[in-house]
Structures are given as C-alpha cells and as structure tokens.
Amino acid sequence: MASVLALIAGFMAYTQMGSASAVNSSAAEESEELPTSDTPDFGENVKIFDPGTSAATIQAAVDEAFDAQENNPTAQFGDQRYAFLFKPGTYGRVWANLGFYTSVAGLGLNPDDVTINGAINVDSGWNYGDTANATQNFWRSVENLAIAPEDGTNRWAVSQAAPMRRVHVKGNLTLAPSNQDNGQGYASGGYLADSQVDGTVSSGSQQQWYTRDSDIGAWEGGVWNMTYSGVKGAPANAFPDKPHTTLETTPTTREKPYLYVDSDDKYQVFVPALQHDSSGTSWPDTKGTSIPMSKFYVAKPGDSAARINAALEQGLNLFFTPGTYELDETVKVTRPDTVVTGIGFPTLIPTAGNTALSVADVDGVSVSGLTFDAGTTNSDTLMTVGTAGSHTDHAENPASIQDVFFRIGSSVQGKATTTLAVNSDDTIIDHIWAWRADHGGAATGWDVNTGDTGLLVNGDDVLATGLFVEHYQKDEVVWNGDRGETIFFQNEKPYDVPDQKSWMNGSQNGYAAYKVADDVTEHQLWGGGSYAFFNSNPDVKLDHSFEVPDKEGVSLHSILTVSLGDVGTISNVVNNTGGAVPNPAGNTTPRNVVSYP
C-alpha cells in the first residue's frame, strides 16, 4: 500500500509540475518578442521561382502537387496545401494544372511584371468518382500575373472558392471544361476581378458567374445568372431574355492585399486603397500602401492561438502560410488597419467551440485568403467583425473580407450556428463561400454537420460583392442592417432535408436563402439565384427563396429560382411572387423575376 501511495504522490507531483510548466511556457510564449523579417521563411509548402529557374524544375514541382491528387479519393478534403510564387520576369513553357488548395501568384507589383507562357489550367476529368464534370473544382486560385496561353486560350473551369484576381490573360479565357460537348461538362463558379482578358471570355456551361472591375475583349455564353459590375466590355443588361445583369460601376471597392518583392528582393504586402464607383482594372497604377514583411508575423502550421495573439499584441499584422491551424481560443484583432492575410488556403479550425477569428469594431481591418473549418464542438460563430449593436461610422475606412471561405463539415464533422457575423457598419464583403457541406471527408448529414446561417449582417451600409452561401438549415443569409447591398448572390438549399416537418419556419415551409429583416427600410440585391435539389426527399417544399419586407426602399433585381433536375419544389421566387419550380416546361427551367416589387 505504501508503495502505491508513493507512486500516486509521485504521479500527482509530476502532473502538477507538468501543468505548471505548461502555464509557464504559455506565459513565456505570450511575453516573448516574436521575430520578423523582410525576407521570411514561408515554409516548405511555398515554392518560390525566379526567371533563372528552369522550366523543367517548375514543371516538375507543379506536376508533383497535382498528380498526387488526380483520382485520389481523399484529396478533396486532404491536408495538402501549396503556393507557387513567381518573382518578376518571363517564364518559359509551364503548364500548371491546379488541384485542391493550390495557389499560383506573381510577386511583381503589377500583373505584367510576371508572364507565364503556357497555361494556368483547371479542367474536369481528374476527380475521383466523378470525372465527367467540374462542379467540385473548389479551393484553388491564381492572381497577380500575366498568362500567355499556349494555344491562345487559357482554361479556368472552376466552381466555388476559386478566385482569379489581378490577372492579365493575353488571349482568350474559357470557363468551361474540355468535355463540355458531351453534355456532362458542368461547372458552377465563379469569380473574376481586377483582371484583363485581351480576347473573349467564354462561360460555356457555367451556371453562374460574377465578374467585377475588369477589362475584357468580349463575353459569350451564359446559363442562369451572369452578373457584372464595373466591367469594361461586359454584355449589355438583358435579364431575363439573356442571363446578364450588368452594372456600369461597383459602388465601393478595396482590392485584396497581395505579396510582392521590391527592387532589393525584400518582401512587402501591398494594400490597395479604397475606391468608389470603380470600373476597369486598378492596375498598373494601383493606389495604396506597401507594408514591409517585417511588420508581419508569418504564421506556420503548429502555431498556437496564444502565439498568434501575442503577435497581434506586439502590433504586428498576420500572414498565414499554407497548412491547417488548430485554435483553442479566439484570434483577436483589435488594432485599426491590421492586415490578416494568407496564401495557399491556410485553414483555421476552432477546437473548443470558440470563434476562430474576431475583429473589433475599428477602422480598416483587412481579412483575406483564409479558410475556416467548423470544429466538432459547436461554435456560435466562426468569424465575427465588430460588436453587435454598435454603429460606428467606418465609411472612410471600412473593414474588408476577401476570398474567405467557411465550411461546416469537410475533413471533420463540424458544427457552427453561424459562420460569419458582420456587425461593423460599412464592411465590404468581397467574395466569400459559406458552405454547409453536402459531402465531405467525414460523413455529413442533417443531424451531423449542423449549421443555421451562413451570413448574418447586423451592420448598416454593408456591401457584398460575390456572395456564395449554400445548404444551411435555417435562413441562410439574414440581413438586419439598413442600406445594405449585394451584387451577385448564389445559393443552393440543403439537399438533405429528411421531411417537411423537420424544416418548418413556423407555418412556413422551409427557410429563405436570403432574408431581409422586416424593420429594414433600404436594401438592394442585383443578380441572385437560388436552387433546390431535395434529393433526400423530393416531396419537400420551400415557400420562397427570397424574403423581404414590402417597402419602397427595398428592391431586388434579376433574381431567379431553379429546381435542379426538377427535384423538389420552390413555390415562389420572392415572397408570394414569381411562380413555382419545377417550371411546367421542365428541363430545369428557372423562374425569373426582373424586379421586385
């Protein structure tokens, strides 16, 4: 007995010592001055090339990343992350196929500082179990370079969360997969911004697409919802005879921050300035501010939330490198004008039911290039901006959220009540995809990966340009703030509703895709599509996809509903207007409302 008691006492002393060591370690981590550099190490998942690198070396690197994913059953929700960065110069023949979690970017101050001869290519035919279409070509990106297409046309057949930004295509651009002609080459993208296409953009089988502040030679094609704002060369507004919704300018923009190398081969992040009523590309004379990398903490996988918060408390910005980050507490951004950005789809996962990232109600914070996965313990929110109930005017220097993606159910059986809550007035939401997963690396299901709402907007004067929100279980977008505006909205209702009684909003069948609160006095939406595919139970009905108060200042333009494959019913487009889908004509025919009211 004595020996047992001694062992127990020894074990308790050991564990107490270990606990104390952990506390001391955490305290030391928070108090240490974290190192920075203008020539940082971005980690093993980032490959940096210069014009002296042989084309064969570059080709081998991009092939190694892509080939490992081709027909790989785990790649879509794997932990691989890649960023391929090109210093200024011209590069010989490179044919870069982009798979999941792969980013290609130039490191010049302007896109034409880096020219890739060959292709930055995304196509169908690679996906395990479904090689016939491109509807799952998610989580890849290209930005800040020029492409001289080998055959005159670059292919970018992507779906959600696959932005092309700040790119000069010296030829044509096709957004359709190469097997389109056999009737199976579907795609469901996408987003193009601050880019120039010298030739023709062909959208082919793309169901919807948003293009913002670009210059194009011409545009051909369109299926349901093709929306343009500030695009020189865009087709004329013609909805619904043709599926084009065209605005001459974008009300407010601030282009996404980007990494570049200066003439001394040191790294900086350029933060573009705020623009109003913009049109065409922001470059080559982009207005803005350069921040040296010595003002950033370069985060790497394995960094704790405490260490990342220590960097913020040190007054640093954050630069996330490719990988996954498990966070047991909230990363808190409190300083005005803080830049939080990432490359290669760094993925933040809350592990304790916490919010992964919160931004205080301050001016000018920029968050971009991040992916959030809900953890297995339910989080009330994954990301918040501002303080609920606060209405400080940020019009002169708003917060911005760009290329930020949210997932409930993916590699883990995640849960979150709301993925993104925007409380700060004047916030710019520029391209997000909030997705409650219909499939994943871990099993998904109605009671498994639960999530109510993708986007909750409480702030006034919030603008969303490029809003993708899908499969949530209650109202998917809830807009409580006044004078809000959305340009382009894409939605699919949840596939997996088991029966009608499980999906009732009081006496109403189902929940809206886009709900504007009853007390809102002014709101606008341009170009919105909502689709149903109730394959778990085709008898399920939704009363309407868009729900808004009938007020003079609230107006919706170019909105539609579709029953995909005529599986499931949406009884009206907006409120009690628009008629039902399946449309009696069949063939997945939409119901269109040109303007409401």
Side-chain angles (χ1 to χ4, degrees):
M1 177 68 74
S3 62
V4 172
L5 291 173
L7 284 171
I8 292 173
F11 176 75
M12 292 177 65
Y14 171 79
T15 55
Q16 289 169 356
M17 180 177 65
S19 176
S21 297
V23 170
N24 291 337
S25 174
S26 176
E29 184 176 65
E30 292 177 7
S31 63
E32 69 176 303
E33 188 80 3
L34 298 174
T36 65
S37 172
D38 287 331
T39 56
D41 173 14
F42 293 107
E44 62 182 9
N45 296 327
V46 178
K47 306 297 183 187
I48 301 174
F49 307 117
D50 60 46
T53 310
S54 72
T57 297
I58 298 170
Q59 191 66 54
V62 296
D63 285 349
E64 181 181 9
F66 180 78
D67 292 349
Q69 301 190 42
E70 189 167 11
N71 282 314
N72 182 325
T74 64
Q76 186 170 170
F77 300 100
D79 58 6
Q80 76 281 359
R81 301 288 187 274
Y82 307 101
F84 298 106
L85 308 181
F86 292 81
K87 291 185 175 181
T90 299
Y91 293 80
R93 199 263 188 192
V94 174
W95 191 278
N97 289 312
L98 268 60
F100 288 113
Y101 315 110
T102 304
S103 297
V104 173
L107 289 173
L109 191 56
N110 289 297
D112 284 331
D113 293 343
V114 174
T115 298
I116 305 293
N117 287 284
I120 308 295
N121 184 65
V122 181
D123 201 354
S124 57
W126 57 267
N127 190 28
Y128 178 82
D130 190 12
T131 58
N133 70 67
T135 59
Q136 293 181 33
N137 282 356
F138 312 139
W139 308 306
R140 60 204 75 196
S141 67
V142 60
E143 56 189 301
N144 197 37
L145 50 73
I147 306 167
E150 184 172 81
D151 60 358
T153 300
N154 194 81
R155 188 178 305 279
W156 188 252
V158 298
S159 291
Q160 289 85 353
M164 176 181 281
R165 285 185 182 267
R166 203 174 168 83
V167 170
H168 183 189
V169 179
K170 298 180 176 181
N172 302 314
L173 177 66
T174 182
L175 308 176
S178 59
N179 64 340
Q180 176 182 342
D181 290 343
N182 69 12
Q184 299 300 311
Y186 310 120
S188 183
Y191 179 91
L192 173 69
D194 200 22
S195 293
Q196 178 177 329
V197 180
D198 294 344
T200 298
V201 181
S202 174
S203 61
S205 57
Q206 285 286 351
Q207 297 164 354
Q208 66 277 318
W209 193 275
Y210 176 51
T211 308
R212 180 182 63 71
D213 294 284
S214 295
D215 293 270
I216 61 175
W219 186 286
E220 63 180 22
V223 178
W224 296 323
N225 179 21
M226 321 305 285
T227 302
Y228 318 82
S229 66
V231 179
K232 297 177 180 179
N237 187 73
F239 189 89
D241 296 332
K242 294 182 180 179
H244 303 302
T245 302
T246 304
L247 286 71
E248 290 188 5
T249 61
T250 306
T252 306
T253 55
R254 175 181 277 148
E255 297 297 343
K256 179 184 173 184
Y258 60 92
L259 183 70
Y260 76 99
V261 291
D262 62 22
S263 57
D264 295 322
D265 210 33
K266 294 182 178 180
Y267 289 86
Q268 302 200 42
V269 171
F270 190 86
V271 183
L274 192 69
Q275 300 180 83
H276 296 286
D277 300 317
S278 55
S279 176
T281 63
S282 69
W283 48 274
D285 299 313
T286 308
K287 295 180 174 59
T289 305
S290 288
I291 304 175
M293 282 302 296
S294 57
K295 300 295 185 181
F296 282 81
Y297 175 68
V298 176
K300 294 179 181 176
D303 278 350
S304 67
R307 185 175 180 85
I308 294 168
N309 277 323
L312 290 168
E313 291 166 9
Q314 192 174 311
L316 297 174
N317 304 288
L318 295 179
F319 191 100
F320 285 88
T321 60
T324 57
Y325 297 77
E326 294 189 345
L327 305 173
D328 60 358
E329 60 183 78
T330 302
V331 173
K332 297 179 180 180
V333 179
T334 60
R335 179 175 58 84
D337 299 313
T338 301
V339 176
V340 179
T341 191
I343 56 172
F345 296 86
T347 303
L348 280 53
I349 307 174
T351 60
N354 50 297
T355 297
L357 177 69
S358 70
V359 177
D361 192 26
V362 295
D363 276 356
V365 173
S366 172
V367 180
S368 63
L370 300 179
T371 299
F372 292 80
D373 268 352
T376 55
T377 301
N378 186 76
S379 294
D380 288 339
T381 55
L382 295 183
M383 176 179 167
T384 63
V385 180
T387 305
S390 175
H391 287 286
T392 302
D393 186 359
H394 299 291
E396 296 299 316
N397 189 14
S400 57
I401 305 165
Q402 298 170 296
D403 295 349
V404 175
F405 310 124
F406 303 90
R407 308 188 300 196
I408 299 181
S410 56
S411 56
V412 295
Q413 292 177 316
K415 303 173 187 294
T417 304
T418 299
T419 45
L420 172 62
V422 175
N423 300 307
S424 287
D425 289 357
D426 307 292
T427 300
I428 300 169
I429 305 168
D430 180 39
H431 189 223
I432 69 166
W433 184 35
W435 184 56
R436 177 183 165 265
D438 57 286
H439 65 287
T444 59
W446 190 251
D447 298 315
V448 177
N449 56 314
T450 54
D452 287 356
T453 298
L455 172 64
L456 172 64
V457 179
N458 295 319
D460 292 338
D461 303 293
V462 172
L463 172 67
T465 52
L467 180 57
F468 299 74
V469 182
E470 299 189 292
H471 305 159
Y472 288 81
Q473 294 170 298
K474 293 187 177 179
D475 293 325
E476 302 199 52
V477 172
V478 177
W479 209 294
N480 295 320
D482 224 338
R483 298 178 301 280
E485 183 171 3
T486 294
I487 303 173
F488 183 87
F489 171 66
Q490 187 263 326
N491 165 264
E492 280 185 355
K493 302 307 299 172
Y495 293 173
D496 56 345
V497 182
D499 50 53
Q500 195 67 60
K501 69 179 181 180
S502 301
W503 202 47
M504 294 294 294
N505 185 7
S507 61
Q508 180 176 299
N509 290 320
Y511 291 83
Y514 192 101
K515 176 179 172 59
V516 178
D518 292 343
D519 59 352
V520 168
T521 60
E522 295 180 45
H523 188 90
Q524 289 194 85
L525 165 64
W526 302 86
S530 176
Y531 317 140
F533 185 64
F534 299 133
N535 64 326
S536 290
N537 188 339
D539 292 333
V540 167
K541 293 179 172 59
L542 171 63
D543 281 354
H544 48 241
S545 282
F546 299 87
E547 183 177 326
V548 302
D550 288 319
K551 295 180 180 177
E552 184 177 352
V554 177
S555 58
L556 311 183
H557 312 271
S558 304
I559 59 173
L560 64 107
T561 56
V562 173
S563 179
L564 299 170
D566 296 344
V567 179
T569 299
I570 305 175
S571 300
N572 271 299
V573 179
V574 51
N575 296 351
N576 296 315
T577 298
V581 291
N583 194 325
N587 253 353
T588 311
T589 303
R591 288 286 190 177
N592 300 307
V593 172
V594 177
S595 185
Y596 184 89

CSV table of all heavy atoms in Angstrom, one decimal, residues 546-586:
chain,number,residue,atom,x,y,z
A,546,PHE,N,-36.4,34.0,-51.5
A,546,PHE,CA,-36.1,35.4,-51.1
A,546,PHE,C,-37.3,36.0,-50.3
A,546,PHE,O,-38.4,35.9,-50.7
A,546,PHE,CB,-35.9,36.3,-52.4
A,546,PHE,CG,-34.7,35.8,-53.2
A,546,PHE,CD1,-34.9,34.9,-54.2
A,546,PHE,CD2,-33.4,36.3,-53.0
A,546,PHE,CE1,-33.8,34.5,-55.0
A,546,PHE,CE2,-32.4,35.9,-53.7
A,546,PHE,CZ,-32.6,35.0,-54.7
A,547,GLU,N,-36.9,36.5,-49.1
A,547,GLU,CA,-38.0,37.0,-48.2
A,547,GLU,C,-37.6,38.4,-47.8
A,547,GLU,O,-36.5,38.6,-47.1
A,547,GLU,CB,-38.1,36.1,-47.0
A,547,GLU,CG,-39.2,36.5,-46.0
A,547,GLU,CD,-39.3,35.5,-44.9
A,547,GLU,OE1,-39.1,34.3,-45.1
A,547,GLU,OE2,-39.6,35.9,-43.8
A,548,VAL,N,-38.4,39.4,-48.2
A,548,VAL,CA,-38.1,40.8,-47.9
A,548,VAL,C,-39.3,41.6,-47.5
A,548,VAL,O,-40.4,41.2,-47.8
A,548,VAL,CB,-37.4,41.5,-49.2
A,548,VAL,CG1,-36.2,40.7,-49.6
A,548,VAL,CG2,-38.5,41.6,-50.3
A,549,PRO,N,-39.1,42.7,-46.7
A,549,PRO,CA,-40.3,43.5,-46.4
A,549,PRO,C,-40.7,44.3,-47.6
A,549,PRO,O,-39.9,44.7,-48.5
A,549,PRO,CB,-39.7,44.4,-45.3
A,549,PRO,CG,-38.3,44.5,-45.6
A,549,PRO,CD,-37.9,43.2,-46.1
A,550,ASP,N,-42.0,44.5,-47.7
A,550,ASP,CA,-42.6,45.2,-48.9
A,550,ASP,C,-42.5,46.7,-48.5
A,550,ASP,O,-43.5,47.3,-48.0
A,550,ASP,CB,-44.0,44.8,-49.2
A,550,ASP,CG,-44.1,43.4,-49.8
A,550,ASP,OD1,-43.2,43.2,-50.7
A,550,ASP,OD2,-44.9,42.6,-49.4
A,551,LYS,N,-41.4,47.3,-48.8
A,551,LYS,CA,-41.1,48.7,-48.6
A,551,LYS,C,-40.5,49.4,-49.8
A,551,LYS,O,-39.8,48.7,-50.6
A,551,LYS,CB,-40.2,48.9,-47.4
A,551,LYS,CG,-40.8,48.4,-46.1
A,551,LYS,CD,-39.9,48.6,-44.9
A,551,LYS,CE,-40.5,48.1,-43.6
A,551,LYS,NZ,-39.5,48.2,-42.4
A,552,GLU,N,-40.8,50.7,-50.0
A,552,GLU,CA,-40.3,51.4,-51.2
A,552,GLU,C,-38.8,51.3,-51.3
A,552,GLU,O,-38.3,51.2,-52.5
A,552,GLU,CB,-40.8,52.8,-51.1
A,552,GLU,CG,-40.5,53.6,-52.3
A,552,GLU,CD,-41.0,55.1,-52.2
A,552,GLU,OE1,-41.7,55.4,-51.2
A,552,GLU,OE2,-40.6,55.9,-53.1
A,553,GLY,N,-38.1,51.3,-50.2
A,553,GLY,CA,-36.6,51.3,-50.3
A,553,GLY,C,-36.0,50.0,-50.5
A,553,GLY,O,-34.7,49.9,-50.6
A,554,VAL,N,-36.7,48.9,-50.5
A,554,VAL,CA,-36.2,47.6,-50.6
A,554,VAL,C,-36.5,47.0,-52.0
A,554,VAL,O,-37.7,46.9,-52.4
A,554,VAL,CB,-36.8,46.6,-49.5
A,554,VAL,CG1,-36.3,45.2,-49.7
A,554,VAL,CG2,-36.5,47.1,-48.1
A,555,SER,N,-35.5,46.7,-52.8
A,555,SER,CA,-35.7,46.3,-54.2
A,555,SER,C,-34.7,45.2,-54.5
A,555,SER,O,-33.5,45.2,-54.1
A,555,SER,CB,-35.6,47.4,-55.1
A,555,SER,OG,-34.3,48.1,-55.0
A,556,LEU,N,-35.2,44.2,-55.3
A,556,LEU,CA,-34.4,43.1,-55.8
A,556,LEU,C,-34.5,43.1,-57.3
A,556,LEU,O,-35.5,43.4,-57.9
A,556,LEU,CB,-34.9,41.8,-55.3
A,556,LEU,CG,-35.2,41.6,-53.8
A,556,LEU,CD1,-35.6,40.2,-53.4
A,556,LEU,CD2,-34.0,42.0,-52.9
A,557,HIS,N,-33.3,42.8,-57.9
A,557,HIS,CA,-33.3,42.9,-59.4
A,557,HIS,C,-32.6,41.6,-59.9
A,557,HIS,O,-31.6,41.2,-59.4
A,557,HIS,CB,-32.4,44.1,-59.8
A,557,HIS,CG,-32.8,45.4,-59.1
A,557,HIS,ND1,-33.7,46.3,-59.6
A,557,HIS,CD2,-32.3,45.9,-58.0
A,557,HIS,CE1,-33.8,47.3,-58.8
A,557,HIS,NE2,-33.0,47.1,-57.8
A,558,SER,N,-33.2,41.1,-61.0
A,558,SER,CA,-32.6,39.9,-61.7
A,558,SER,C,-32.4,38.8,-60.7
A,558,SER,O,-31.3,38.3,-60.5
A,558,SER,CB,-31.3,40.3,-62.4
A,558,SER,OG,-31.5,41.4,-63.2
A,559,ILE,N,-33.5,38.2,-60.2
A,559,ILE,CA,-33.4,37.1,-59.3
A,559,ILE,C,-34.2,35.9,-59.9
A,559,ILE,O,-35.1,36.1,-60.7
A,559,ILE,CB,-34.0,37.4,-57.9
A,559,ILE,CG1,-35.4,37.9,-57.9
A,559,ILE,CG2,-33.1,38.5,-57.2
A,559,ILE,CD1,-36.1,38.1,-56.6
A,560,LEU,N,-33.8,34.7,-59.4
A,560,LEU,CA,-34.4,33.5,-60.0
A,560,LEU,C,-34.3,32.3,-59.1
A,560,LEU,O,-33.5,32.3,-58.2
A,560,LEU,CB,-33.6,33.2,-61.3
A,560,LEU,CG,-32.2,32.8,-61.2
A,560,LEU,CD1,-32.0,31.3,-61.4
A,560,LEU,CD2,-31.3,33.6,-62.2
A,561,THR,N,-35.1,31.3,-59.4
A,561,THR,CA,-35.1,30.1,-58.7
A,561,THR,C,-35.0,29.0,-59.7
A,561,THR,O,-35.5,29.1,-60.8
A,561,THR,CB,-36.2,29.8,-57.7
A,561,THR,OG1,-37.5,29.9,-58.5
A,561,THR,CG2,-36.2,30.8,-56.6
A,562,VAL,N,-34.4,27.8,-59.3
A,562,VAL,CA,-34.3,26.7,-60.2
A,562,VAL,C,-34.5,25.4,-59.3
A,562,VAL,O,-34.0,25.3,-58.2
A,562,VAL,CB,-32.9,26.6,-60.9
A,562,VAL,CG1,-32.8,25.3,-61.7
A,562,VAL,CG2,-32.7,27.8,-61.8
A,563,SER,N,-35.2,24.4,-59.8
A,563,SER,CA,-35.2,23.1,-59.3
A,563,SER,C,-34.3,22.2,-60.1
A,563,SER,O,-34.6,21.9,-61.3
A,563,SER,CB,-36.7,22.5,-59.2
A,563,SER,OG,-36.6,21.2,-58.7
A,564,LEU,N,-33.2,21.9,-59.5
A,564,LEU,CA,-32.1,21.2,-60.3
A,564,LEU,C,-32.6,19.7,-60.6
A,564,LEU,O,-32.9,19.0,-59.7
A,564,LEU,CB,-30.8,21.1,-59.5
A,564,LEU,CG,-30.2,22.5,-59.2
A,564,LEU,CD1,-29.0,22.3,-58.2
A,564,LEU,CD2,-29.7,23.2,-60.4
A,565,GLY,N,-32.7,19.4,-61.9
A,565,GLY,CA,-33.3,18.1,-62.3
A,565,GLY,C,-34.7,18.0,-61.9
A,565,GLY,O,-35.3,16.9,-61.9
A,566,ASP,N,-35.4,19.1,-61.6
A,566,ASP,CA,-36.8,19.1,-61.2
A,566,ASP,C,-37.0,18.2,-59.9
A,566,ASP,O,-38.0,17.5,-59.8
A,566,ASP,CB,-37.7,18.6,-62.3
A,566,ASP,CG,-37.7,19.6,-63.5
A,566,ASP,OD1,-37.2,20.8,-63.3
A,566,ASP,OD2,-38.1,19.2,-64.6
A,567,VAL,N,-36.0,18.3,-59.0
A,567,VAL,CA,-36.1,17.5,-57.8
A,567,VAL,C,-36.4,18.4,-56.6
A,567,VAL,O,-35.5,19.1,-56.1
A,567,VAL,CB,-34.8,16.7,-57.5
A,567,VAL,CG1,-34.8,15.9,-56.2
A,567,VAL,CG2,-34.5,15.8,-58.7
A,568,GLY,N,-37.6,18.5,-56.2
A,568,GLY,CA,-38.0,19.4,-55.1
A,568,GLY,C,-38.7,20.6,-55.6
A,568,GLY,O,-38.5,21.0,-56.8
A,569,THR,N,-39.5,21.3,-54.7
A,569,THR,CA,-40.3,22.4,-55.2
A,569,THR,C,-39.9,23.7,-54.4
A,569,THR,O,-39.8,23.7,-53.2
A,569,THR,CB,-41.8,22.1,-54.9
A,569,THR,OG1,-42.1,20.9,-55.7
A,569,THR,CG2,-42.7,23.3,-55.3
A,570,ILE,N,-39.8,24.8,-55.1
A,570,ILE,CA,-39.8,26.1,-54.5
A,570,ILE,C,-41.1,26.8,-55.1
A,570,ILE,O,-41.2,27.0,-56.3
A,570,ILE,CB,-38.5,26.9,-54.9
A,570,ILE,CG1,-37.3,26.2,-54.6
A,570,ILE,CG2,-38.6,28.3,-54.3
A,570,ILE,CD1,-36.0,26.9,-55.0
A,571,SER,N,-42.0,27.2,-54.2
A,571,SER,CA,-43.3,27.6,-54.6
A,571,SER,C,-43.3,29.0,-55.2
A,571,SER,O,-44.2,29.3,-56.0
A,571,SER,CB,-44.3,27.6,-53.4
A,571,SER,OG,-44.3,26.2,-52.9
A,572,ASN,N,-42.4,29.9,-54.8
A,572,ASN,CA,-42.3,31.3,-55.3
A,572,ASN,C,-40.9,31.7,-55.3
A,572,ASN,O,-40.0,31.2,-54.5
A,572,ASN,CB,-43.2,32.2,-54.6
A,572,ASN,CG,-44.6,32.3,-55.2
A,572,ASN,OD1,-44.8,32.7,-56.3
A,572,ASN,ND2,-45.6,31.9,-54.4
A,573,VAL,N,-40.5,32.7,-56.0
A,573,VAL,CA,-39.2,33.3,-56.0
A,573,VAL,C,-39.0,34.2,-54.8
A,573,VAL,O,-38.1,33.9,-54.0
A,573,VAL,CB,-38.9,34.1,-57.4
A,573,VAL,CG1,-37.5,34.6,-57.3
A,573,VAL,CG2,-39.1,33.1,-58.6
A,574,VAL,N,-39.8,35.2,-54.7
A,574,VAL,CA,-39.7,36.2,-53.6
A,574,VAL,C,-41.1,36.4,-53.0
A,574,VAL,O,-42.0,36.7,-53.7
A,574,VAL,CB,-39.0,37.5,-54.1
A,574,VAL,CG1,-39.7,38.1,-55.3
A,574,VAL,CG2,-39.0,38.5,-53.0
A,575,ASN,N,-41.2,36.3,-51.7
A,575,ASN,CA,-42.4,36.4,-51.0
A,575,ASN,C,-43.5,35.5,-51.7
A,575,ASN,O,-43.3,34.3,-51.9
A,575,ASN,CB,-42.8,37.8,-50.9
A,575,ASN,CG,-41.9,38.6,-50.0
A,575,ASN,OD1,-41.0,38.0,-49.3
A,575,ASN,ND2,-42.0,39.9,-49.9
A,576,ASN,N,-44.6,36.1,-52.2
A,576,ASN,CA,-45.6,35.4,-52.9
A,576,ASN,C,-45.6,35.6,-54.4
A,576,ASN,O,-46.6,35.5,-55.1
A,576,ASN,CB,-47.0,35.7,-52.3
A,576,ASN,CG,-47.1,35.3,-50.9
A,576,ASN,OD1,-46.7,34.2,-50.5
A,576,ASN,ND2,-47.6,36.1,-50.1
A,577,THR,N,-44.4,36.0,-54.9
A,577,THR,CA,-44.3,36.4,-56.3
A,577,THR,C,-43.3,35.5,-57.1
A,577,THR,O,-42.3,35.0,-56.5
A,577,THR,CB,-43.8,37.8,-56.4
A,577,THR,OG1,-44.7,38.7,-55.8
A,577,THR,CG2,-43.5,38.3,-57.8
A,578,GLY,N,-43.6,35.2,-58.4
A,578,GLY,CA,-42.7,34.6,-59.3
A,578,GLY,C,-43.1,33.2,-59.8
A,578,GLY,O,-42.6,32.8,-60.8
A,579,GLY,N,-43.9,32.5,-59.0
A,579,GLY,CA,-44.3,31.2,-59.5
A,579,GLY,C,-43.3,30.1,-59.1
A,579,GLY,O,-42.3,30.3,-58.5
A,580,ALA,N,-43.7,28.9,-59.3
A,580,ALA,CA,-43.1,27.7,-58.8
A,580,ALA,C,-42.1,27.1,-59.7
A,580,ALA,O,-42.3,27.1,-61.0
A,580,ALA,CB,-44.1,26.6,-58.3
A,581,VAL,N,-41.1,26.4,-59.2
A,581,VAL,CA,-40.2,25.5,-59.9
A,581,VAL,C,-40.4,24.1,-59.1
A,581,VAL,O,-40.5,24.1,-57.9
A,581,VAL,CB,-38.8,25.9,-60.0
A,581,VAL,CG1,-38.6,27.1,-60.9
A,581,VAL,CG2,-38.2,26.2,-58.6
A,582,PRO,N,-40.4,23.0,-59.8
A,582,PRO,CA,-40.2,22.9,-61.3
A,582,PRO,C,-41.2,23.7,-62.1
A,582,PRO,O,-42.4,23.7,-61.8
A,582,PRO,CB,-40.4,21.4,-61.5
A,582,PRO,CG,-40.1,20.7,-60.2
A,582,PRO,CD,-40.6,21.7,-59.2
A,583,ASN,N,-40.6,24.4,-63.1
A,583,ASN,CA,-41.4,25.1,-64.0
A,583,ASN,C,-42.1,24.1,-64.9
A,583,ASN,O,-41.5,23.1,-65.3
A,583,ASN,CB,-40.4,26.0,-64.9
A,583,ASN,CG,-41.2,27.0,-65.7
A,583,ASN,OD1,-42.3,26.8,-66.2
A,583,ASN,ND2,-40.5,28.1,-65.9
A,584,PRO,N,-43.4,24.2,-65.2
A,584,PRO,CA,-44.1,23.2,-66.0
A,584,PRO,C,-43.3,22.8,-67.3
A,584,PRO,O,-43.5,21.7,-67.8
A,584,PRO,CB,-45.4,23.9,-66.3
A,584,PRO,CG,-45.6,24.7,-65.1
A,584,PRO,CD,-44.3,25.3,-64.8
A,585,ALA,N,-42.5,23.8,-67.8
A,585,ALA,CA,-41.8,23.4,-69.1
A,585,ALA,C,-40.7,22.4,-68.9
A,585,ALA,O,-40.2,21.8,-69.8
A,585,ALA,CB,-41.1,24.7,-69.7
A,586,GLY,N,-40.4,22.1,-67.6
A,586,GLY,CA,-39.4,21.1,-67.3
A,586,GLY,C,-38.0,21.5,-67.7
A,586,GLY,O,-37.7,22.7,-67.9
